[in-house]
Amino acid sequence: GTVAIRLTAVGTGQAHVSIEETFRRGILRIARMKANDLLLHRRNVEALRRLSHLATNRRASKRSGPGRR
């Protein structure tokens, strides 16, 4: 399958991030149904939450400077 991660600038230093997954072969392509969509959605929401946390903390640590956490 493929995963597309899109970043769209929404302001200075800000971006909208989206994830889209497509199955090309295997059991998930055949069994594609709402239950799978829900599971993937939850996993992607968690991945985006973690990415947001990393980006926010990185930005905060850059402002405080090295060794000033």
Side-chain angles (χ1 to χ4, degrees):
T2 60
V3 176
I5 300 174
R6 290 185 183 83
L7 302 169
T8 306
V10 293
T12 303
Q14 297 181 349
H16 174 83
V17 181
S18 62
I19 299 174
E20 181 181 332
E21 294 183 69
T22 306
F23 302 107
R24 295 201 173 167
R25 59 185 157 171
I27 192 76
L28 291 178
R29 184 184 65 83
I30 296 167
R32 177 98 185 185
M33 58 186 158
K34 291 294 179 189
N36 288 338
D37 289 344
L38 182 58
L39 291 172
L40 288 175
H41 175 75
R42 287 185 179 167
R43 183 181 74 183
N44 290 342
V45 165
E46 177 61 15
L48 291 170
R49 185 192 68 76
R50 290 179 182 189
L51 179 62
S52 174
H53 178 75
L54 289 170
T56 301
N57 288 336
R58 181 176 179 204
R59 190 170 49 233
S61 70
K62 279 187 173 184
R63 279 185 290 208
S64 65
R68 296 185 183 167
R69 290 183 180 224

